[in-house]
Amino acid sequence: MSKKDDFPHVYVISLPRHHERRALISQQLNRLGFKFEFVEGVDGTKLEDNILNNVDLDFCKKKFGHTMNHSEIACALSHIKVYKKIVDNGLSSAIILEDDAFLLSCLPKVLTSAIQKSPDFELLYLFHGKAKSWPIKKKLPEGYKLARYRYPSKNSKRCIIGAVGYVLSQSGAKRLLGMAHPVRMPADYLTGYLQWHRLRTYGIEPNCIDTGHLETTIPGRDYGVHIEPLNQ
């Protein structure tokens, strides 16, 4: 990835009505030289019974101690939709962003180096919460480091929370698609439970994209750093 044309294709998950978000993320991606397209997200306010009837809320409750609201279900379906695009289009890898991502100016340089130094990656986090890595980390530009994440024990509930921005390979997309149905966990869990999917997972540290500068479209989250009162 020595030229901008060599960057992985970018898919931005966004609802059509999010005009301001789309404008902001478009400005950032154009400025940094990424090719991108919007993927219409699934609208949590318009989920039909045939979709909801195929969501395993009991599994989520039993495994994680909480259920999923309609926004979380829609978010999970939106990410799954992108995985299918990666597979169907035969892409070697793609960057997946949610439309509230804030891209740091160093991203192209840091990402180029990270991919060169992790040619076997299947999942590469650009943003995430707490993660347990192997002790040796590779140096990246601008003071960043590339970490390889460890698989927790089979019965551990340790999970890497953060689906606002990551890179997924073709084999990674296929693996996640094979585990995606029935929908039974938030998008963060499907990517973050390494002990389940066993993808070769890396991350750029510290995060080279940010989030939280826009109001969340998934209120009432009951896990990770997103916990909010349901009636807030």
Side-chain angles (χ1 to χ4, degrees), residues 5 14 35 83 117 127 129 133-134 140 148-149 168 170 192 230:
D5 287 346
S14 181
K35 293 180 178 179
Y83 306 159
K117 294 183 177 182
F127 173 91
S133 65
W134 292 100
L140 299 174
R148 171 76 185 268
Y149 296 128
L168 192 64
Q170 173 75 199
L230 289 175

Side-chain angles (χ1 to χ4, degrees), residues 165-216:
Y166 54 100
V167 190
L168 192 64
S169 74
Q170 173 75 199
S171 61
K174 287 180 177 178
R175 186 91 58 87
L176 293 185
L177 270 180
M179 302 176 65
H181 296 286
V183 174
R184 56 191 181 273
M185 65 188 80
D188 305 62
Y189 290 7
L190 184 58
T191 53
Y193 271 90
L194 310 191
Q195 61 272 40
W196 284 17
H197 58 60
R198 307 291 291 186
L199 297 184
R200 293 185 295 274
T201 304
Y202 293 79
I204 295 172
E205 298 182 349
N207 294 326
C208 57
I209 67 175
D210 199 4
T211 188
H213 61 294
L214 296 173
E215 185 177 352
T216 180

Side-chain angles (χ1 to χ4, degrees), residues 13-169:
I13 298 171
S14 181
L15 294 176
R17 65 173 180 269
H18 289 168
H19 304 297
E20 181 181 1
R21 288 169 176 258
R22 288 188 170 212
L24 288 172
I25 193 76
S26 294
Q27 290 172 5
Q28 296 175 66
L29 288 164
N30 285 325
R31 175 173 53 83
L32 296 177
F34 288 100
K35 293 180 178 179
F36 67 96
E37 66 180 278
F38 287 106
V39 176
E40 184 173 337
V42 178
D43 193 333
T45 67
K46 299 179 180 179
L47 292 178
E48 298 181 354
D49 288 343
N50 65 318
I51 293 176
L52 294 172
N53 290 338
N54 288 308
V55 177
D56 193 347
L57 294 178
D58 290 337
F59 177 92
C60 191
K61 181 68 175 179
K62 182 178 179 180
K63 183 68 178 180
F64 308 118
H66 62 82
T67 186
M68 297 170 66
N69 62 40
H70 285 198
S71 294
E72 290 168 320
I73 294 169
C75 179
L77 288 168
S78 299
H79 282 261
I80 293 167
K81 187 176 182 179
V82 178
Y83 306 159
K84 190 173 187 304
K85 279 185 170 290
I86 294 172
V87 172
D88 290 348
N89 292 329
L91 301 180
S92 59
S93 65
I95 300 170
I96 301 170
L97 299 175
E98 294 179 347
D99 63 5
D100 62 339
F102 181 80
L103 313 180
L104 303 186
S105 60
C106 63
L107 177 60
K109 183 188 299 185
V110 174
L111 179 58
T112 296
S113 180
I115 291 180
Q116 290 174 344
K117 294 183 177 182
S118 59
D120 66 337
F121 88 92
E122 292 180 294
L123 175 61
L124 172 63
Y125 277 101
L126 308 177
F127 173 91
H128 62 78
K130 187 176 181 180
K132 192 173 184 180
S133 65
W134 292 100
I136 298 177
K137 300 179 182 181
K138 297 180 180 180
K139 292 183 179 180
L140 299 174
E142 307 293 336
Y144 285 84
K145 293 184 178 181
L146 177 69
R148 171 76 185 268
Y149 296 128
R150 301 175 63 178
Y151 302 135
S153 63
K154 182 178 179 181
N155 295 322
S156 172
K157 292 188 177 181
R158 183 186 295 272
C159 179
I160 300 175
I161 299 295
V164 71
Y166 54 100
V167 190
L168 192 64
S169 74

